[in-house]
Every structure is written in structure tokens, then in C-alpha cells.
């Protein structure tokens, strides 16, 4: 039997936010592989499954294990938090497939990304063009990250910042804020969400001037508004432009 790897996005953490397609894939799997922290969120789904878990920094080994099992004809699920195609495992699976010239079938099952779940908790901050930038320089040179921050900040994108801070990278988020302040008002709304949908979820709406006063960790996603974003009753809203269009349509109708 030809083996198969399904790369499954399990969403932000709560089982309520796992898609039916992802649940079905896990239920049908012979082997489930993933980062231990993500697998720990799915205990009921792993009963009776062969489970291969590992710690952070073991992504390549996990992917190789997935191919080793799938090439035996087994159905393998590679669990990825959030969406597997956003800073996650789907790309590495395909890279290794190409290196091995593997005949294993590969399917990607999307999940709710951190940027989606955090935006929902904050209100509607992503209603216009936005960009995501990871501050982790583990795989990307910091000079490249700074150039990208400059580019999206100057273009007035709403910016979602992934991996903003770790014990070894405490200064990167401060430098990112310096860059943003070159182009944004200090009163620009900033939403900070930790562990969205999980038991230890924390949500804070602040501004660019006071952003660094908040607790920021690797589990935090930061959403920085653009020049039109505003705060209202604890929510963060970026206008899409509907109201201006409706007013123009009404004025044209009256003129006619």
C-alpha cells in the first residue's frame, strides 16, 4: 500500500478550533508525529495511535521520521500548530520530499493561523492590507528581517508580528518598535495576544508608545495597526473603506 503524509494544522490550541477535516485526518492516521507542546493539546485524539513526539529544534528529524513511516505504507499525520503553511511544517515536508524524490502522497490540511485567531480576539484589525513578519532570526538573518520591517512599515500595512521575543532575543522586539516609530504615530493601536483560545489566554490593547510595557513571549502575537486603525470599547478596528464608499454612493444618488 502506498503511504501518505497529511500535514495537519490544528489551529491556535483549543480543540474547538480544529477543523473537521483535520480531526478526520488524525482519526484515520496510523502514526501521529509532532512537536510535543502541540501534541499535549490533543490527548483525546491520540488514544490508540502510535505517537512520535520531539522537542523544539527537531523539525527536520520529525519530517524524516514521517517519510520513514509513510514509505512503509502507513498513514502518517504531521501535526502543526496554527496553519501548516505559515511558518510551519508544510514547506519542510515538501523540501524533504523533493530531496528524497519520494513517491509518498502528501496532503496539506489548513488550520486557523495565529494571526486569524488573535485578530478575532482583538476585533477587526486585519480588514485592510496586512503583512506578517517573524522576528525569529534562527533561520532568517536579522538584517533581512529589519529590511522587511522597514518595507511594510513604510507602506502602511497593518503588521502581525510572530515570534516577537525569547530569552535569547529580548532586544529584537524593541528594535522592531524603533523601526515602526519611524513611520507610525506613537498612539497607533497595538494588540497583544498570548495563547489565543487556550486556558492561559491573555489579551491586551495598547499603543505603540507603550507596547514594550506588556508581557511579550514566544507565545505572543502582536498586531500593529496602520494609519487608519482605531480603538473602540476595547477592540481594534481597521476600516476597509466601506463607509466612505456608501457616503459617495448616497451623494451621487441624491445628485441624480
Amino acid at each position: 500500500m502506498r503511504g501518505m503524509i497529511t500535514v495537519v494544522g490544528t489551529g491556535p490550541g483549543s480543540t474547538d478550533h480544529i477543523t473537521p477535516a483535520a480531526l478526520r485526518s488524525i482519526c484515520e492516521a496510523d502514526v501521529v508525529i509532532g512537536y510535543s507542546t502541540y501534541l499535549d493539546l490533543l490527548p483525546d485524539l491520540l488514544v490508540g495511535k502510535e505517537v512520535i513526539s520531539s522537542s523544539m529544534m527537531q523539525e527536520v528529524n520529525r519530517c524524516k521520521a514521517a517519510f520513514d513511516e509513510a514509505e512503509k505504507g502507513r498513514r502518517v499525520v504531521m501535526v502543526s500548530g496554527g496553519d501548516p503553511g505559515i511558518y510551519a511544517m508544510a514547506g519542510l515536508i515538501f523540501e524533504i520530499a523533493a530531496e528524497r524524490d519520494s513517491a509518498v502522497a502528501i496532503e496539506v490540511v489548513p488550520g486557523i493561523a495565529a494571526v486569524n485567531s488573535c485578530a478575532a480576539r482583538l476585533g477587526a484589525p486585519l480588514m485592510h492590507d496586512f503583512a506578517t513578519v517573524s522576528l525569529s532570526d534562527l533561520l532568517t538573518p536579522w538584517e533581512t528581517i529589519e529590511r522587511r520591517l522597514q518595507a511594510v512599515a513604510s507602506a502602511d500595512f497593518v503588521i502581525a508580528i510572530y515570534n516577537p521575543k525569547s530569552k535569547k532575543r529580548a532586544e529584537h522586539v524593541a528594535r522592531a518598535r524603533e523601526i515602526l516609530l519611524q513611520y507610525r504615530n506613537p498612539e497607533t493601536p497595538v494588540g497583544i495576544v498570548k495563547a489565543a483560545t487556550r486556558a492561559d489566554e491573555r489579551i491586551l490593547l495598547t499603543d505603540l508608545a507603550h507596547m514594550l510595557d506588556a508581557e511579550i513571549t514566544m507565545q505572543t502575537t502582536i498586531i500593529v495597526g496602520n494609519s487608519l486603525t482605531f480603538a473602540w470599547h476595547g477592540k481594534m478596528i481597521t476600516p476597509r473603506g466601506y463607509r466612505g464608499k456608501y457616503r459617495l454612493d448616497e451623494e451621487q444618488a441624491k445628485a441624480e
Side-chain angles (χ1 to χ4, degrees), residues 113-130:
V115 68
N116 301 122
S117 56
C118 294
R121 287 302 200 241
L122 291 167
L126 305 182
M127 284 296 295
H128 216 303
D129 298 334
F130 67 93

Side-chain angles (χ1 to χ4, degrees), residues 186-207:
E187 297 178 356
T188 300
V190 174
I192 299 175
V193 183
K194 177 187 176 184
T197 80
R198 302 182 194 179
D200 57 341
E201 174 185 87
R202 293 184 185 177
I203 304 167
L204 174 67
L205 182 59
T206 183
D207 58 29

Side-chain angles (χ1 to χ4, degrees), residues 134-138 140-143 145-146 149 161-180 211-212 216-218 222:
S134 170
L135 299 192
S136 173
D137 60 355
L138 182 63
T140 305
W142 177 248
E143 294 76 13
I145 295 171
E146 282 206 5
L149 284 168
I161 299 176
Y162 277 63
N163 306 314
K165 187 177 182 180
S166 70
K167 292 180 181 179
K168 294 181 179 179
R169 296 186 293 99
E171 74 286 352
H172 285 184
V173 68
R175 175 57 184 150
R177 176 177 167 273
E178 288 179 8
I179 292 171
L180 294 173
M211 184 180 91
L212 299 182
I216 298 173
T217 70
M218 278 289 286
I222 301 172

Side-chain angles (χ1 to χ4, degrees), residues 20-224:
L23 287 171
R24 185 168 59 251
S25 296
I26 295 172
C27 289
E28 294 175 351
D30 298 313
V31 185
V32 179
I33 301 176
Y35 174 38
S36 56
T37 297
Y38 296 144
L39 294 179
D40 289 344
L41 298 171
L42 312 170
D44 296 340
L45 300 178
L46 302 180
V47 175
K49 305 291 182 186
E50 181 178 340
V51 177
I52 300 175
S53 67
S54 60
S55 59
M56 231 175 145
M57 311 288 290
Q58 297 297 313
E59 293 87 354
V60 173
N61 289 339
R62 287 199 294 273
C63 288
K64 288 181 177 179
F67 280 97
D68 290 343
E69 295 301 322
E71 286 166 0
K72 299 173 186 176
R74 309 184 79 185
R75 292 171 297 182
V76 178
V77 161
M78 170 65 73
V79 166
S80 183
D83 180 273
I86 301 177
Y87 301 123
M89 301 302 292
L92 183 55
I93 283 286
F94 281 108
E95 287 180 44
I96 292 176
E99 288 176 2
R100 295 169 75 131
D101 195 21
S102 177
V104 167
I106 301 172
E107 179 186 14
V108 178
V109 177
I112 299 173
V115 68
N116 301 122
S117 56
C118 294
R121 287 302 200 241
L122 291 167
L126 305 182
M127 284 296 295
H128 216 303
D129 298 334
F130 67 93
T132 64
V133 179
S134 170
L135 299 192
S136 173
D137 60 355
L138 182 63
L139 301 174
T140 305
W142 177 248
E143 294 76 13
T144 299
I145 295 171
E146 282 206 5
R147 287 200 305 271
R148 291 173 179 171
L149 284 168
Q150 293 277 358
V152 296
S154 64
D156 201 31
F157 283 100
V158 175
I159 304 170
I161 299 176
Y162 277 63
N163 306 314
K165 187 177 182 180
S166 70
K167 292 180 181 179
K168 294 181 179 179
R169 296 186 293 99
E171 74 286 352
H172 285 184
V173 68
R175 175 57 184 150
R177 176 177 167 273
E178 288 179 8
I179 292 171
L180 294 173
L181 282 171
Q182 296 173 20
Y183 304 95
R184 309 272 163 109
N185 190 304
E187 297 178 356
T188 300
V190 174
I192 299 175
V193 183
K194 177 187 176 184
T197 80
R198 302 182 194 179
D200 57 341
E201 174 185 87
R202 293 184 185 177
I203 304 167
L204 174 67
L205 182 59
T206 183
D207 58 29
L208 201 52
H210 300 92
M211 184 180 91
L212 299 182
D213 296 340
E215 179 188 9
I216 298 173
T217 70
M218 278 289 286
Q219 293 187 35
T220 302
T221 300
I222 301 172
I223 298 182
V224 181

